């Protein structure tokens, strides 16, 4: 049977598989897996824990996650699922602004700040 959002869920599965390869991103992989299964509330709880944990890590670890995720999300029809509002508000927006401030010559930092920085 065909479902109109099948491609969205395929993308979630692919991203979950790729994220699961990194120990520090296991919770994000779990979020994607739960969301793909239709478990939205538990997925958002898992995502909240991931955001809280990653925000406590050094900037280099946050930057590595963003440098991996944002190119994928920017090309995805499921970007709203890959970068949901809690992730954007708690991690992405503040981190891309910090990235631009730390590396003002970085085109990548400016690109993501323009797209995800919320006008900052």
């Amino acid at each position: 049977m065909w479902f109109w959002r099948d491609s969205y869920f395929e993308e979630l599965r692919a991203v979950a598989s790729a994220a699961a390869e990194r120990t520090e991103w296991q919770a994000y992989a779990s979020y994607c897996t739960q969301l793909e299964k239709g478990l939205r509330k538990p997925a958002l709880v898992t995502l909240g824990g991931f955001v809280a944990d990653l925000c406590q890590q050094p900037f280099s670890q946050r930057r590595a996650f963003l440098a991996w995720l944002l190119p994928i999300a920017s090309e995805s029809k499921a970007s709203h699922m890959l970068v949901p509002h809690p992730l954007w508000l708690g991690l992405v927006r503040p981190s891309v602004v910090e990235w631009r401030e730390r590396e003002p010559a970085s085109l990548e930092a400016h690109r993501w700040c323009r797209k995800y920085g919320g006008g900052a």
Side-chain angles (χ1 to χ4, degrees):
M1 184 170 94
W2 182 81
F3 181 62
W4 69 276
R5 291 177 77 183
D6 276 346
S7 64
Y8 289 39
F9 297 117
E10 288 173 15
E11 288 187 53
L12 283 172
R13 281 191 292 275
V15 169
S17 177
E21 294 177 10
R22 299 274 304 258
T23 306
E24 62 272 24
W25 300 345
Q26 290 291 320
Y28 183 77
S30 181
Y31 155 76
C32 290
T33 300
Q34 290 171 331
L35 192 61
E36 185 263 330
K37 291 179 179 179
L39 305 171
R40 185 175 185 273
K41 285 185 182 182
L44 290 174
V45 169
T46 300
L47 182 66
F50 173 74
V51 169
D53 289 345
L54 193 54
C55 284
Q56 298 300 314
Q57 300 303 315
F59 173 75
S60 61
Q61 290 184 12
R62 289 181 277 131
R63 182 187 183 280
F65 177 72
L66 295 178
W68 170 77
L69 178 63
L70 296 182
I72 295 168
S74 71
E75 299 295 322
S76 171
K77 290 186 282 185
S79 63
H80 64 286
M81 299 168 101
L82 298 174
V83 184
H85 191 261
L87 181 65
W88 175 77
L89 187 62
L91 178 69
V92 175
R93 183 176 66 174
S95 296
V96 297
V97 170
E98 181 180 353
W99 188 354
R100 184 187 62 192
E101 291 169 355
R102 285 176 176 251
E103 301 175 23
S106 169
L107 297 178
E108 186 179 16
H110 283 277
R111 174 185 183 195
W112 300 132
C113 197
R114 188 175 327 107
K115 185 165 177 86
Y116 295 103

